[in-house]
Amino acid sequence: MKYTLGKEERLKSKKLIEKLYKGRNSVKTFPLRMIFLQTEHTSEFPAQVGFSVPKRNFKLAVDRNRIKRLMRETYRLQKEIVYENLDKSYIFMISYIGKEEWTYEELYSKMEKLLTLFINETKKNKNDKA
């Protein structure tokens, strides 16, 4: 697997983002929250992801952009956790809900925990439907 996060893997469609926020399935490990939805999308990848940092908590754009860059990097290095365990296509948005900036190492471990929680949640939902 290539450790890249290309255009096809990013969630950009306004319609899909709107649909995602109506669904409201989520998992959380402070300071990260993931809202996810099982749906078809145009990419051949099993998941499309978006990242957000609220302006309310970080007034300066440079701070918001740095946090988004750190989140993208930690996701990019650990996305095989998601890709190896998904059999259907998902879209998700990862939001930063903390009020202070965390270090890269702390975010890395929290991202790993968040992705594992997401996989456990999807497996649990699959078992409930079966």
Side-chain angles (χ1 to χ4, degrees):
M1 171 189 292
K2 290 175 81 175
Y3 289 98
T4 60
L5 189 61
K7 192 176 185 179
E8 290 287 309
E9 295 174 84
R10 298 199 186 182
L11 180 60
K12 295 180 180 181
S13 167
K14 287 192 189 308
K15 286 182 184 177
L16 283 179
I17 292 170
E18 206 172 285
K19 195 173 170 183
L20 174 68
Y21 278 102
K22 285 181 184 170
R24 295 307 249 177
N25 294 326
S26 69
V27 291
K28 181 168 53 172
T29 177
F30 191 81
L32 301 173
R33 182 182 71 202
M34 176 193 287
I35 301 171
F36 62 92
L37 180 68
Q38 192 277 311
T39 185
E40 293 301 316
H41 50 75
T42 57
S43 173
E44 72 269 1
F45 293 98
Q48 282 191 329
V49 61
F51 300 91
S52 70
V53 179
K55 195 173 188 178
R56 180 183 339 139
N57 298 345
F58 295 94
K59 304 291 185 223
L60 298 178
V62 291
D63 295 335
R64 291 193 304 274
N65 292 339
R66 175 174 167 66
I67 293 169
K68 282 189 278 190
R69 193 166 46 247
L70 290 175
M71 289 192 322
R72 280 194 304 266
E73 180 68 6
T74 57
Y75 173 78
R76 181 185 71 82
L77 294 173
Q78 300 180 69
K79 68 181 179 182
E80 79 273 357
I81 295 171
V82 173
Y83 283 23
E84 290 171 356
N85 293 298
L86 287 183
D87 50 351
K88 295 181 179 174
S89 60
Y90 278 83
I91 56 173
F92 46 88
M93 180 70 73
I94 300 175
S95 301
Y96 189 89
I97 56 175
K99 300 234 186 276
E100 302 92 32
E101 261 189 73
W102 285 38
T103 65
Y104 173 79
E105 290 78 18
E106 292 168 326
L107 274 178
Y108 188 89
S109 66
K110 292 295 184 172
M111 183 67 74
E112 184 176 16
K113 194 181 276 187
L114 182 75
L115 295 177
T116 307
L117 277 172
F118 166 66
I119 292 302
N120 292 339
E121 188 74 21
T122 57
K123 286 182 179 174
K124 186 175 80 174
N125 287 346
K126 190 167 79 172
N127 291 340
D128 289 346
K129 290 178 182 176

